[in-house]
Amino acid sequence: MKRPGRKAATDRSFVVALSRGLDVLRAFRPNDGLLGNQEIAARTNLPKPTVSRLTYTLTKLGYLTPVPRFEKYQLAPSAMSLGYAALANLGVRHLSESYRDEVMRETGGAVAVGGRDRLSMIYFGQSRSGLTIGVQLDVGSRIPIATTAMGRAYIWALPDDERASLLRELREHYGSRWPRMRDGIERSGETVARHGFAISAGEWQDDVAAVGVALKLNDGTGPYAFNCGAPAFRFTEDRLRSDIGPRLVAMVRSIEAALGTVAPQSKKEENKKIKAGGKVARMVERIK
């Protein structure tokens, strides 16, 4: 888990202690169960004595529950209530449910909606059936931005300056692995520019294939992104391009229309989008 950058840490308005406390809470992941101070320290890159003080404080505040027998902690209901409150306020999660269910039934894939969590996307809504066995993700699951269809769709929905900043963070995080990931992001940018969706086929997990489409809102939140994925033997790359991708684009555009956030594109705007390939290459070129 990445600690606050130098700029944030030297910002007089930035409360480092609060940031570290939230990092401790973020260390708990779905299906983790119990975590000890040593495990939390490893996940947060914080010194163990600091973690011990933070877990003590969070226990006193009711956000962690100690389990003395194992000398570990679990998230308390007070911490979980924050997540449920956030979910309740995400109107796009509720409004998109019927649309997600429909595409799930039509394609046999799992359909999810998520938002950014640092260098990951976090699911806050998912439609899944027994046919999507092998896609073991649920609400609260995190997936990497750089190698997934949902993450790549999100990247190309950002304003240029925010995208460049995120790409620099990804380059710093992945080090020697970055050139290969950068190439995949660039290819996705071309696909998004021409067809409206991103593809990841075996680039995150060998046996998973998916498409991703961004949702842009005009209320200052987001962008968010949807994906539709399945085991690779069911979603071939040809099917992703010819069937699943266009279906997901149509679904997201319907959701945008229902939310009243995006006006229909003119023919001129559509043509401009199709010719965006050169800009895509130049944008990624700067982050080498």
Side-chain angles (χ1 to χ4, degrees):
M1 187 175 292
K2 196 173 181 180
R3 293 175 63 181
R6 181 179 300 175
K7 183 178 179 180
T10 56
D11 186 341
R12 294 180 62 184
S13 297
F14 187 87
V15 183
V16 175
L18 175 59
S19 170
R20 291 175 173 175
L22 293 174
D23 278 348
V24 169
L25 295 178
R26 291 163 57 88
F28 290 82
R29 302 166 185 162
N31 304 317
D32 260 346
L34 308 177
L35 290 181
N37 286 334
Q38 187 169 343
E39 294 163 298
I40 295 171
R43 290 189 179 184
T44 60
N45 293 323
L46 293 170
K48 190 177 176 182
T50 300
V51 170
S52 297
R53 293 194 299 272
L54 290 169
T55 52
Y56 173 84
T57 302
L58 291 167
T59 297
K60 290 296 184 182
L61 293 172
Y63 291 107
L64 292 179
T65 299
V67 184
R69 179 182 174 187
F70 301 106
E71 296 185 345
K72 294 190 176 186
Y73 303 87
Q74 64 183 14
L75 288 178
S78 292
M80 292 186 286
S81 69
L82 297 176
Y84 287 123
L87 287 176
N89 288 325
L90 284 168
V92 65
R93 173 176 181 258
H94 299 290
L95 186 143
S96 69
E97 184 174 5
S98 61
Y99 295 92
R100 288 187 277 113
D101 289 349
E102 181 179 0
V103 172
M104 173 198 69
R105 289 190 297 269
E106 291 175 347
T107 65
V111 185
V113 57
R116 181 182 173 186
D117 180 24
R118 297 191 178 179
L119 300 184
S120 302
M121 299 297 289
I122 185 168
Y123 281 17
F124 58 79
Q126 188 185 46
S127 299
R128 188 177 64 188
S129 71
L131 294 173
T132 52
I133 188 168
V135 182
Q136 304 297 326
L137 298 171
D138 211 334
V139 172
S141 294
R142 288 181 174 86
I143 60 174
I145 285 181
T147 54
T148 60
M150 176 184 281
R152 290 171 174 178
Y154 172 87
I155 287 173
W156 292 106
L158 291 171
D160 289 352
D161 56 339
E162 293 182 31
R163 183 186 305 114
S165 176
L166 174 55
L167 292 175
R168 284 190 291 269
E169 288 186 58
L170 291 169
R171 179 186 62 188
E172 179 183 349
H173 178 76
Y174 285 108
S176 61
R177 292 179 290 167
W178 169 244
R180 183 176 178 181
M181 294 182 177
R182 181 194 61 219
D183 292 345
I185 292 170
E186 181 174 354
R187 288 194 304 272
S188 290
E190 303 286 357
T191 306
V192 169
R194 288 175 169 79
H195 307 295
F197 57 83
I199 289 178
S200 176
E203 295 172 82
W204 170 46
Q205 293 184 355
D206 292 342
D207 57 347
V208 173
V211 295
V213 178
L215 172 73
K216 298 181 182 180
L217 305 177
N218 59 10
D219 61 358
T221 63
Y224 303 110
F226 290 82
N227 66 10
C228 181
F233 72 89
R234 297 190 58 244
F235 276 12
T236 63
E237 191 160 350
D238 180 64
R239 188 181 177 200
L240 291 175
R241 292 182 181 277
S242 63
D243 178 26
I244 309 301
R247 282 182 189 270
L248 196 66
V249 170
M251 183 199 82
V252 174
R253 299 300 168 253
S254 295
I255 293 170
E256 287 175 340
L259 289 167
T261 60
V262 177
Q265 285 190 326
S266 67
K267 197 67 178 176
K268 182 178 180 181
E269 288 172 324
E270 290 178 357
N271 291 336
K272 182 179 179 182
K273 183 178 180 181
I274 291 171
K275 296 175 182 177
K279 183 179 180 181
V280 168
R282 289 194 298 274
M283 172 60 70
V284 181
E285 181 71 22
R286 298 179 200 145
I287 317 298
K288 290 186 176 182

